[in-house]
Amino acid sequence: MNQDVVYTAAEIENLMKSEGQVWFYNIYFDTDKSTLQPTSAPAIEAIGSYLKANPDVKVYMVVHTDNTGTLDYNLKLPKGRAKAVVTELAGKHSIPSAQLVAEGVGPLSPVQSNQTEESRAKNRRVVMVLAK
């Protein structure tokens, strides 16, 4: 998985139509916080452009973590991070809140083993899932 990929709004639209979801590895947060890092701006901008062009689409912004820390912590942190993404999209990109739902699933849906830093990095992601 290439973690440096920045999708365009058109690429996001194609993935949403074909797969019903898009994985983002380039939305970053401060360690142990829900604060979006400025390097996340290109991905957030592309998501905003896609949602503006598709006002009837409703999405879940789902944040995943690795399994470092307790389960309770890893369920609370991604929910706050998902809310930060939704707030950014609504505030800076004027996406109606009715289009967005923030969810956090923490380490409950890993794509790798969590045994190495590389595998943990692949488990830390934001997934935009088609809700409607």
Side-chain angles (χ1 to χ4, degrees):
M1 295 177 210
N2 185 344
Q3 296 189 352
D4 297 325
V5 173
V6 176
Y7 296 112
T8 65
E11 290 169 327
I12 291 171
E13 183 168 9
N14 289 337
L15 286 166
M16 291 297 279
K17 285 180 179 177
S18 66
E19 298 179 26
Q21 62 181 337
V22 180
W23 293 20
F24 296 92
Y25 283 102
N26 52 356
I27 298 177
Y28 302 103
F29 304 91
D30 289 348
T31 302
D32 289 330
K33 296 181 182 176
S34 298
T35 307
L36 275 167
Q37 291 185 355
T39 54
S40 303
I44 299 293
E45 175 72 31
I47 293 168
S49 295
Y50 162 74
L51 291 170
K52 280 182 184 177
N54 296 276
D56 294 331
V57 168
K58 182 176 180 177
V59 297
Y60 298 106
M61 298 305 299
V62 183
V63 176
H64 299 258
T65 66
D66 60 33
N67 68 350
T68 304
T70 67
L71 179 60
D72 287 343
Y73 180 77
N74 280 326
L75 291 176
K76 181 181 176 186
L77 180 65
K79 183 71 171 182
R81 288 177 170 182
K83 287 179 182 177
V85 172
V86 165
T87 298
E88 186 83 359
L89 287 165
K92 287 191 179 174
H93 300 281
S94 303
I95 304 302
S97 58
Q99 263 186 286
L100 305 162
V101 177
E103 290 296 335
V105 296
L108 300 179
S109 185
V111 294
Q112 294 279 317
S113 70
N114 281 305
Q115 298 300 310
T116 66
E117 178 51 37
E118 182 179 306
S119 65
R120 286 188 292 276
K122 290 182 179 173
N123 288 330
R124 296 187 295 261
R125 64 198 185 279
V126 176
V127 181
M128 183 170 63
V129 180
L130 187 62
K132 174 185 163 207

